[in-house]
């Protein structure tokens, strides 16, 4: 929920800002080019994923606790397996044992997949809105 909500908020805010300010001369006839929309979607996907990624890392770690062979993957070979009492506990233990950077392990490879996907999804979203004649405004 925070990921998708943040994606839409950033995308719509960036798009509205570009249309109203005509920054970089990107708005033509009060419309943005497809490439500009792709860029807005990519920025939204990057921001949304970066903010929400720690929640995904914690979720995956909590899932792996139930897998008997995950101890060496989650904690490193030869270390005692961690047990979590909930999401906040998993967050705290991850930061305590591995540092804050552990919450962003795998962010770059995941971005290679997610950022273009979100950009294309927003361009498709705009195209479907145009075909259906739907204009959604949040003021």
């Amino acid at each position: 929920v925070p990921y998708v909500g943040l994606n839409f908020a950033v995308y719509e805010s960036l798009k509205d800002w570009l249309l109203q300010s005509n920054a970089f001369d990107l708005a033509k006839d009060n419309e943005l080019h497809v490439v500009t929309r792709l860029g807005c979607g990519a920025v939204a996907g990057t921001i949304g994923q970066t903010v929400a990624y720690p929640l995904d890392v914690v979720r995956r770690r909590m899932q792996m606790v139930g897998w008997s062979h995950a101890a060496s993957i989650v904690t490193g070979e030869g270390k005692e397996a961690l047990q979590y009492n909930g999401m906040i506990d998993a967050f705290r233990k991850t930061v305590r044992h591995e540092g804050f950077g552990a919450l962003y392990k795998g962010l770059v490879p995941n971005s290679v997949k997610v950022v273009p996907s979100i950009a294309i999804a927003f361009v498709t979203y705009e195209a479907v809105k145009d075909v259906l004649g739907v204009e959604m405004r949040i003021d």
Side-chain angles (χ1 to χ4, degrees), residues 125-137:
Y125 162 74
E126 294 288 347
V128 170
K129 277 183 14 181
D130 291 344
V131 167
L132 295 175
V134 176
E135 181 60 34
M136 296 177 63
R137 305 295 295 167

Side-chain angles (χ1 to χ4, degrees), residues 83-131:
Q83 294 296 316
Y84 303 122
N85 296 324
M87 191 172 110
I88 293 171
D89 184 50
F91 188 96
R92 284 182 184 150
K93 285 180 180 175
T94 299
V95 172
R96 183 181 321 126
H97 293 288
E98 299 176 58
F100 189 76
L103 297 172
Y104 288 95
K105 281 184 178 179
L107 179 66
V108 173
N110 198 55
S111 295
V112 171
K113 171 187 74 166
V114 170
V115 171
S117 172
I118 294 299
I120 292 167
F122 276 117
V123 169
T124 304
Y125 162 74
E126 294 288 347
V128 170
K129 277 183 14 181
D130 291 344
V131 167

